[in-house]
Structures are given as C-alpha cells and as structure tokens.
Amino acid sequence: MPAAIEDYGLIGDTTTIALVSRHGSIDWLCLPRIDSDACLAKLLGDDDHGSWTLQPAAPVRTIHRRYRGDTLILETEITCDGGRARVIDFMPPGSAEHDIIRIVEGLEGEVPMHADLKVRFGYGAHVPWIKTDGRCATLTSGPSALFYNSPVPLAPDLETARLEASFVVRPGDRLPFVLGFYDSHASAPQHVVDADAELARTEKYWREWAGRCRYAGPFRDAVVRSLVTLKALTYQPTGGIVAAPTCSLPEELGGVRNWDYRYCWMRDATLTLDALMRGGYLDEATAWRDWLMRAVAGAPAQLQIMYGIAGEHRLTEVELPWLPGYEDSRPVRIGNAAYDQFQLDVYGEVLNTLYDAHANGVPDLPDVWDPILAIVDFVEQAWQRKDEGIWEVRGGGKRHFTHSKLMAWVAVDRAVRMIEELGAHAQPRLEKRLFRWRALREEIRQSVLQRAWSDRVGAFTQSYGSDELDASVLLIPHMGLLPADDPRMVSTVAAIEKGLTWDGLVLRYATETGVDGLPGHEATFLICSFWLADNYAMVGRLDDAEALLARLVSLSSDLGLLAEEYHPELHRQLGNFPQAFSHIGLINTAYLIEAKRAGKTVALPAAAQLH
C-alpha cells in the first residue's frame, strides 16, 4: 500500500513532478506534463498500478531524509545491518525528456540494494511493451514511451512486466539510474545522461532561485521551502501554477471527497501573486498574471473558476474504477466537474490580481481596459445571482454566498481604484462608468454588511440569511471591505474561534450541516488557519498570530511540505499534496507578521492598508 501522505517527498523540473516515499518508492509520476496520465500510480492503488523502488535488500535500521539546502534535490540516507547508503533523487530543470535521476551512493560497509521499475501507463491501466538491452530498456504504450538506463544489468520479468536489478554499494560507489520520457513515434534518446553534471546544474538552479527570497524573519526556512514548492508547482512553458500535483487524495480517509487538483484556480490568483511578489519573484508573478489574462480571455459570462495549465477550458471529470483509491477512498476521479460551476468570486479575483500586479510593479498589459470594462459590466448585471461559492459545493444548491458578494464588491472597487489612481478617467468610456460604478460599489458593500451579518451568531456568516459559519469571511479585512479591528470583524473572529475550530485549527465550514451535499466529514483546512493568524496580526495580536503560525509550520512534514488539510486526532495530513494554497498561506502570513513587528505599513492583497 502507499505511504502516509506526509511521508512523500516532491521532486520536479517545473513541468511535472514525482512523489518519492520515505522508503524509496516513486509512487506518482505524470509525464510529460503535470496533468498528463500517470505512468506510476501506486499512490492511488497498489504495486500493480506502477512504482519505481530503490531499496536496501537488508533490514533497515534508520532512514533520514532532507532536501539539499534550499533545493529540490532529495537525499535519503539509509542505515542497514551491513552499512549505510544514500539515494539522491532529482529532476533537472529544462530536460527535454523530463529525466528522473536517482543516484545510489555507498557510504559505509556494504549495502545490498534492489531496484524495481514497474510502469503502468494510463493511471495504472496499461501494461507497456518492454524491450531490453543489457542495462537499457524502453517501455512503450500507445503514444507514450519511457527509456530506462541502469548502471547495473537489468533482470526483466516479462511475465509481470517489471525491470529489476540487484547490486551492492560500497564506500565511494555512485550508481546513477535514469528514467526519461519520449513520444513513442520518435526514436528513444541516444545520448548518455551525465548524472553528476545534471546534479550540479540542478543544485545551482535551485540555490540561485531560492537565494532571491527577500524574507529574513524567524520562519525563513519554512518560507523558502514554500516558495520552492510553489515554483515546483509551476508549469514553466505557460506560467500556470497548479493547486496541487495530485488527484483524488482524500479529504476524508475512506470517503468520497476525492478531487483532481492538477489545475489552476482563480480563487488562488491574488494570494499566489502576493506570495511571489513578497518573495521577490517578479518574473514568476508576471508569468502568472499573463497566464491568468490569457486563460480568461473571452466573454465574461463564460469565465471559469479553474483552467488547465495552458488555459484549457474543458476539464471533463471521469472516474477510474480500476483504482481502489488511497486507503480505499473511492471514487478515484480525474478531471474536475466544478469547472462548469458559476462562481461570482472569480471576477473579483481577476481584477484584484490585475490591480495588485500593477501596484507591485508588474508591467501593465496593453489594452488592459477592454477586459476590465467587460468584466465589471457583467458584474453589474450579475452580482445579485446565486452561485456555488468559493468551496465549489456540490449538491447543496446555489446561494447568496458572502464571500462571492465580497468579491463582486472587489471587482468593482478595483476597477474604480484603477481609474482614479492611474488617471485613466480621462478616457470618455471610463469617465461615463466611473460615477455609476462608485454607486454600484457602495450598493454591494451595504448588501454584504446588512444581509451577511447575523445578530444571532454575532458574525458574518456563510450566506445571506444563514447562521452557518464559514472561514472565507476571514478574508473581509484582506479585501478591504472592513478593517480587521471593526467590532463586527472582531466578533466574527471570536465566533469562528468558538464554533469553527478543531483543536485550535480552522474548518472551512461545518460539513455535518450537509451544506455541500456530500456524506462524511473533512478535516481542518490549513489555509483557513493562516487566515485566522492574519486577522490576529492585523489587530495587533502578534504573539497569537506567531504562535498559530508556529503551530502550522510544525504540522509540515519532515521535508517542510503541507497538504490541503490536517486531521488533529489522526495526526495525519489529508487531501492533495503538496497544496499550493497551504504554502501560499504560510508565505503571506509570515511576511505579514514580520512587517507588523517591524512597524511597517503593509499592503494587503486588496491594497487595504494596515497601520
């Protein structure tokens, strides 16, 4: 069976990734893109669905692993009865074949090792045709093929369609294994990969990239690891950043809340941009902004909540019945049907990102006013519609979600600000709208303040007329609708602390109410706890904010990685992994606390100022 979610390490080349377990098994690999079919899918099944192991063939005493400095080079040191060895796993950025390189080093004594490659294309469904030649092999299925170069003779088992090798490493031995992708209609690459040269190049790439980080506070290691993870989740050719590199890792073990997160969400847009800008990564922030504007090009009424990594619109959801699911969590889904939902908040996310990018020095796009006008004109006639909300509820029915109305207000507010601050009101077509949009902005604001507030609960609630709590309302100060020290926000925070936390961590909403129309319960949602820490910091509760941030950092894996959720009783990470949203929250919260402790004025995602 697969390892615990938090026991996986991430390696990648900024076009795809692989997940490596503590025990040396690569159990998830999609090639050639991060959203391609998996050719190693044990993560959602078992050995029959594809894995690549490099393990000692002797009893293991201890395993220690780490990333080599601020890189994406994973080092696993294994002590056995007879000696000690190290496995170095990495993917060189820019490799045309998306090489996965695994170097086995002998450190002490003699360590018998065993390599076992079992490829199954199509998410574990398709057995490849294998051709071997001593230490080399090709594995082909349909349009896809892999080449495998081994430093030791291969022992193919054609009956089980696997490639095995047994060998012994001693001090000074360095044995590189290489797996790469090519299109099956082409010839297999003939060049020999220089593993040591690629290792040096990969280390240089990541050290130089991480060295640009501007954060120097007490959580620097966690911030840098989060930024490196965010970079790994980027599809370099387009600048798109996926929510996670996995699909169908469960929000509840054995449950049905299993979704494909290998897409780019509008809800993440502004917070992602801020994390990159605060980290000092203007190029990546610009690429993300540009991806966003290409993806949303077209009629505003057709704006989606998520897109593919190149801006694809159709993300058809299907179930894979041959996969049993992670720890029997069924169904296994690829694609995501939520792409077809109507979510009002996406319009605010787009305009907030545009405004934020400009405010932080990202060069403006030409003809930027055409999409802005089209979006706000649409919001003007659509903001009173019900929608499915930020959490993409399925089966619970459309509502007037508070967060959706908040973001409708953001869409109008940012357009007004850009006209006022950029002097664009000199254009007649903008001047005509400015007066009307100012009135619309205030109309939406009053709607939120009056209809989203519950006197019974003493808080802003999930939707108009509801008494249900929802963590997304913690974003009201971020977006500038109210300051964090407004009595209504202070009361809302207190209500969430009392009624929407589990062991001090924040839930998205109360799943037992059935609001999402799904059976079962989910664990605490990590980004929501970061939002709570932000609210603490905004009102001067800096010790509380830092204590909560430290708690959240402590929940990271030994490699500093965070999933989507955390289960306080099971002490397990749950959901897709690693999760961009969680790492974005960590980065932004750390920067906010550090700036507040330094007495600086902080520009929030919405450009609301903290003093």
Side-chain angles (χ1 to χ4, degrees):
M1 65 181 295
I5 290 171
E6 60 268 28
D7 280 348
Y8 284 97
L10 172 79
I11 59 173
D13 65 353
T14 70
T15 55
T16 192
I17 65 94
L19 292 185
V20 189
S21 79
R22 176 185 296 276
H23 296 285
S25 180
I26 296 182
D27 293 342
W28 185 253
L29 175 64
C30 300
L31 289 171
R33 304 191 340 173
I34 201 167
D35 60 348
S36 298
D37 287 11
C39 56
L40 303 178
K42 178 182 176 180
L43 181 68
L44 299 177
D46 53 37
D47 287 335
D48 289 335
H49 299 110
S51 64
W52 181 16
T53 60
L54 269 175
Q55 298 172 331
V60 175
R61 292 181 181 176
T62 61
I63 297 174
H64 297 288
R65 60 182 186 161
R66 62 167 191 170
Y67 284 113
R68 180 181 291 187
D70 295 332
T71 76
L72 214 58
I73 299 168
L74 179 62
E75 299 183 334
T76 305
E77 194 169 300
I78 310 151
T79 301
C80 303
D81 287 346
R84 189 162 55 93
R86 178 186 296 127
V87 179
I88 303 171
D89 292 310
F90 65 100
M91 295 180 69
S95 164
E97 292 81 29
H98 311 290
D99 296 330
I100 301 96
I101 301 177
R102 314 189 74 182
I103 300 174
V104 183
E105 292 183 319
L107 300 177
E108 293 179 3
E110 295 186 351
V111 180
M113 297 287 295
H114 185 72
D116 185 356
L117 175 63
K118 191 171 187 178
V119 171
R120 296 292 182 267
F121 290 94
Y123 299 98
H126 305 307
V127 177
W129 179 260
I130 299 176
K131 294 174 62 177
T132 62
D133 181 12
R135 301 184 181 191
C136 302
T138 59
L139 307 95
T140 305
S141 176
S144 302
L146 302 177
F147 67 87
Y148 183 38
N149 291 336
S150 166
V152 295
L154 293 170
D157 185 337
L158 298 182
E159 184 176 341
T160 60
R162 66 201 308 164
L163 295 167
E164 299 181 89
S166 296
F167 55 99
V168 176
V169 291
R170 301 172 180 85
D173 288 345
R174 287 176 62 84
L175 302 178
F177 294 76
V178 180
L179 184 70
F181 175 88
Y182 66 102
D183 293 320
S184 63
H185 65 266
S187 299
Q190 300 300 311
H191 65 275
V192 176
V193 175
D194 186 334
D196 286 331
E198 291 296 88
L199 177 62
R201 184 175 69 83
T202 301
E203 181 171 4
K204 181 175 184 290
Y205 173 91
W206 286 110
R207 287 193 184 278
E208 289 181 352
W209 192 89
R212 291 157 50 195
C213 175
R214 296 193 300 217
Y215 177 79
F219 296 95
R220 180 175 171 79
D221 287 347
V223 168
V224 172
R225 179 51 51 195
S226 293
L227 284 164
V228 168
T229 302
L230 199 57
K231 178 66 171 176
L233 298 180
T234 301
Y235 184 64
Q236 186 71 30
T238 66
I241 301 174
V242 298
T246 55
C247 64
S248 277
L249 287 180
E251 297 170 8
E252 178 187 27
L253 292 176
V256 300
R257 301 167 187 270
N258 316 314
W259 317 112
D260 192 344
Y261 272 21
R262 297 171 299 162
Y263 305 114
C264 308
W265 260 258
M266 295 296 101
R267 73 178 184 196
D268 303 7
T270 300
L271 298 178
T272 299
L273 184 89
D274 281 307
L276 292 169
M277 293 300 307
R278 287 169 171 167
Y281 296 96
L282 180 64
D283 290 345
E284 285 77 8
T286 302
W288 171 241
R289 190 277 314 272
D290 292 349
W291 173 90
L292 177 74
M293 294 311 295
R294 291 193 303 271
V296 304
Q302 296 179 323
L303 195 66
Q304 296 180 188
I305 71 169
M306 70 180 88
Y307 295 87
I309 56 177
E312 295 90 346
H313 291 75
R314 188 179 298 112
L315 310 176
T316 306
E317 183 177 300
V318 297
E319 297 180 4
L320 307 183
W322 62 87
L323 285 172
Y326 182 87
E327 295 194 19
D328 295 320
S329 303
R330 295 184 181 90
V332 170
R333 299 180 177 94
I334 61 170
N336 198 312
Y339 83 91
D340 204 28
Q341 290 185 354
F342 172 64
Q343 288 185 20
L344 187 62
D345 63 295
V346 297
Y347 301 95
E349 295 290 359
V350 171
L351 293 195
N352 200 24
T353 301
L354 281 179
Y355 180 87
D356 231 26
H358 173 84
N360 283 284
V362 175
D364 291 329
L365 288 167
D367 303 319
V368 71
W369 285 107
D370 290 334
I372 291 175
L373 294 179
I375 287 172
V376 181
D377 284 346
F378 177 78
V379 170
E380 186 173 19
Q381 57 89 17
W383 75 270
Q384 297 188 63
R385 289 169 56 182
K386 297 179 180 180
D387 73 339
E388 277 94 353
I390 183 176
W391 306 129
E392 302 150 24
V393 295
R394 299 193 185 196
K398 294 181 180 180
R399 301 186 181 188
H400 292 294
F401 284 101
T402 300
H403 176 265
S404 299
K405 305 306 184 189
L406 166 69
M407 296 309 295
W409 174 85
V410 167
V412 182
D413 177 73
R414 299 315 182 259
V416 169
R417 289 189 188 209
M418 291 179 76
I419 295 172
E420 294 173 340
E421 296 173 14
L422 303 182
H425 57 275
Q427 299 185 38
R429 60 176 179 163
L430 302 181
E431 188 73 33
K432 291 178 181 178
R433 288 174 170 85
L434 186 57
F435 178 81
R436 191 173 81 239
W437 285 356
R438 283 172 177 157
L440 175 63
R441 176 176 62 177
E442 183 59 20
E443 182 183 0
I444 300 174
R445 182 175 184 271
Q446 289 304 319
S447 173
V448 173
L449 295 180
Q450 295 170 18
R451 299 183 63 189
W453 175 262
S454 169
D455 286 327
R456 290 182 296 275
V457 181
F460 290 106
T461 56
Q462 184 176 71
S463 59
Y464 286 3
S466 168
D467 286 342
E468 299 296 332
L469 293 171
D470 191 302
S472 64
V473 302
L474 291 170
L475 289 171
I476 289 174
H478 276 275
M479 296 302 144
L481 189 88
L482 285 177
D485 59 1
D486 184 279
R488 289 163 290 188
M489 276 310 305
V490 173
S491 179
T492 296
V493 167
I496 287 174
E497 288 174 319
K498 181 180 179 181
L500 204 60
T501 58
W502 181 3
D503 192 27
L505 302 175
V506 183
L507 300 157
R508 287 193 293 181
Y509 48 79
T511 50
E512 62 268 17
T513 64
V515 67
D516 57 9
L518 295 172
H521 307 279
E522 65 178 32
T524 62
F525 204 77
L526 291 174
I527 186 68
C528 300
S529 294
F530 287 112
W531 293 342
L532 180 61
D534 292 344
N535 275 264
Y536 290 160
M538 288 184 233
V539 297
R541 296 172 59 181
L542 293 177
D543 290 344
D544 291 337
E546 191 162 307
L548 182 50
L549 175 57
R551 167 90 187 281
L552 291 163
V553 169
S554 75
L555 301 180
S556 304
S557 72
D558 59 325
L559 295 174
L561 301 177
L562 288 169
E564 181 181 37
E565 300 185 358
Y566 180 78
H567 196 295
E569 291 182 358
L570 298 177
H571 305 289
R572 293 279 306 273
Q573 293 196 34
L574 295 175
N576 286 296
F577 175 87
Q579 178 82 0
F581 224 15
S582 299
H583 286 284
I584 289 165
L586 190 157
I587 295 163
N588 288 331
T589 299
Y591 271 97
L592 177 57
I593 293 172
E594 185 67 8
K596 287 290 288 182
R597 286 206 179 277
K600 297 178 181 178
T601 298
V602 182
L604 287 176
Q609 298 296 308
L610 302 179
H611 299 283

